[in-house]
Amino acid sequence: MPANAEDGAPGGAAPLAGLVVVSFEQAVAAPYCTRLLADLGARVIKVERPHTGDFARDYDTEVNGMATHFVWLNRNKESMVVDFKAPGSDAVLEALLDRADVVVQNLAPGVASGLGIDAATVVRRRPSVVAVDISGYGTGGPLDDRRAYDLLVQAEAGSCAMTGTADAPAKPGIPIADVGAGLQAAVAVLAALNGRHGSGRGVAIRTSLFDSVADLLGFGLLHAAYTGAERPPNGLSSPVVSPYGAYPTRDGRTVVLGTTNDAEWQRLSKILLGRPDLAADLRYASNPQRCEHRPTLDAHIGAWTRTLDLAEICARADAAGIGNAEFHRVREVVDHPQLVERGRWREVDSPVGPVRSLLPAFIGAGWPDLLNPVPGLGEHTAAIRAELGLSESGSAASAADA
């Protein structure tokens, strides 16, 4: 395995070691939140339904029989099966919540409150706990009770209208509604835990897929709010900056070139393209003007890139101080040298044997790389029940049973 000076030091202290997270989770948003916490050292007990568990377990079978979504999101966790319709399940639930520092849930609308595991109820009964509700649309609006999946929320919140082209909107390939909500939840949990150090009190946190997407719309949403209009999406380019886009190369590849200010435009036109006439043209003096004349500029740049191979264009752009990238298919990223040479791929154990997993995107000096197994459904049920002092029936174990 290639050495990586950026990696955490083996044997270091994980920053969230000793923290217990109990998560009633499914799909992506909550599992992503808790995987981040687990990667930082928290113990995450993933509570799943009997027989089927988290339905993301069955999205596909591409990882040696396991689902890609599930392998991605569930390393470093323990799986406990609880049948909330079974007699004695209340005792299991209470024992789990008594052990928790953090409770996370993203169940369907109404389910969590019916079980008493919604954030407000958890914190009211256990004031030191940090509890998180991740919902589709938040509370207090007309869509509160609507089922919400990533594509549905991205369509409702405008993300798809910012992607693709004007006549062909598209869902971003990354599930940004789910991932955005999971990130927001994880950040809020860390903030709440920091506050608890001083006050001793937890907090009930709410976040939603819809609010996360609306926040991520960022400049696009503000542009619409202040102009009453919206910039049409333009594929592999930027609606806000020019030149900034993808261009064909002589060897049949695609290069992406980007400028973010007037000085970079001057370097691109004079040094990279060898076109001082474009640099001097007053029609292209400012970014708004260049956006207005984007088709003409793109034609000039594309005519130049077609005369050179991809590698040579990138080398020249680097030398000129111009941002550039190779357009890659996902399959090409698997063996990307920036991942391979830095040892970013590792293996974790799973019910089907070792599987590939990327190290966390954050790196803390001295933090260990936590890559514990992806759990099988209910793999830790018996051990956790015994730890909680529960009999098989779900009631508290007697002294003889303990």
Side-chain angles (χ1 to χ4, degrees):
M1 182 67 64
N4 181 1
E6 295 178 318
D7 285 351
L16 297 184
L19 194 80
V20 177
V21 178
V22 176
S23 189
F24 305 86
E25 60 181 35
Q26 56 195 359
V28 176
Y32 189 62
C33 167
T34 58
R35 200 214 75 186
L36 294 174
L37 300 177
D39 287 345
L40 289 166
R43 179 190 182 190
V44 174
I45 299 173
K46 180 184 181 79
V47 180
E48 301 189 69
R49 69 193 68 159
H51 309 302
T52 57
D54 180 344
F55 52 73
R57 286 181 176 274
D58 298 319
Y59 278 173
D60 60 51
T61 58
E62 303 304 329
V63 185
N64 300 333
M66 295 191 72
T68 51
H69 276 72
F70 195 83
V71 171
W72 166 42
L73 295 166
N74 290 284
R75 68 184 180 212
N76 292 331
K77 298 182 184 180
E78 301 171 36
S79 171
M80 180 181 189
V81 166
V82 177
D83 183 355
F84 289 111
K85 297 180 181 179
S89 61
D90 288 349
V92 179
L93 179 59
E94 292 300 310
L96 280 171
L97 296 178
D98 284 344
R99 189 61 57 90
D101 296 290
V102 178
V103 175
V104 179
Q105 70 84 19
N106 71 329
L107 303 181
V111 174
S113 58
L115 293 171
I117 57 174
D118 60 288
T121 300
V122 169
V123 175
R124 185 173 66 251
R125 295 176 178 172
R126 294 170 174 83
S128 66
V129 173
V130 173
V132 185
D133 293 334
I134 303 177
S135 65
Y137 292 98
T139 58
L143 303 183
D144 288 8
D145 296 326
R146 179 178 289 182
R147 281 190 172 268
Y149 306 131
D150 183 84
L151 170 60
L152 306 181
V153 174
Q154 289 207 53
E156 187 79 35
S159 172
C160 297
M162 293 181 68
T163 311
T165 59
D167 58 350
K171 174 193 175 295
I174 295 172
I176 63 169
D178 281 326
V179 169
L183 281 168
Q184 297 271 12
V187 170
V189 166
L190 296 177
L193 290 171
N194 183 66
R196 190 175 76 163
H197 285 311
S199 68
R201 300 188 62 84
V203 65
I205 298 167
R206 295 180 297 177
T207 190
S208 73
L209 277 65
F210 184 84
D211 289 341
S212 297
V213 174
D215 181 51
L216 292 172
L217 291 181
F219 61 85
L221 190 63
L222 286 174
H223 180 273
Y226 279 91
T227 68
E230 55 190 81
R231 297 183 178 97
N234 55 351
L236 195 57
S237 184
S238 167
V240 182
V241 180
S242 178
Y244 195 163
Y247 307 94
T249 67
R250 183 172 62 187
D251 53 352
R253 302 292 300 276
T254 299
V255 65
V256 181
L257 298 172
T259 62
T260 58
N261 55 61
D262 295 341
E264 290 183 353
W265 157 244
Q266 290 290 314
R267 291 201 303 273
L268 183 144
S269 53
K270 291 178 181 178
I271 302 174
L272 195 61
L273 303 184
R275 294 288 304 273
D277 58 312
L278 294 178
D281 194 323
L282 295 180
R283 293 177 299 172
Y284 311 136
S286 68
N287 181 66
Q289 290 171 294
R290 292 192 293 274
C291 287
E292 182 180 352
H293 297 285
R294 185 193 306 274
T296 303
L297 278 182
D298 284 346
H300 286 307
I301 297 171
W304 177 77
T305 60
R306 286 186 179 92
T307 67
L308 299 167
D309 290 347
L310 175 63
E312 184 174 357
I313 294 171
C314 291
R316 291 191 183 191
D318 284 337
I322 298 300
N324 65 92
E326 302 176 12
F327 171 77
H328 286 133
R329 298 289 180 183
V330 176
R331 65 178 180 273
E332 296 176 292
V333 181
V334 173
D335 296 317
H336 195 296
Q338 197 67 13
L339 294 179
V340 174
E341 293 181 17
R342 295 163 60 236
R344 299 294 297 162
W345 280 114
R346 300 294 173 88
E347 286 189 339
V348 300
D349 202 2
S350 79
V352 297
V355 295
R356 299 177 76 178
S357 187
L358 282 176
L359 287 172
F362 44 75
I363 300 167
W367 292 356
D369 297 331
L370 297 177
L371 293 170
N372 295 317
V374 177
L377 177 59
E379 179 179 345
H380 303 90
T381 301
I384 295 172
R385 291 178 70 95
E387 176 186 341
L388 298 177
L390 296 173
S391 67
E392 286 304 311
S393 66
S395 59
S398 66
D401 295 327

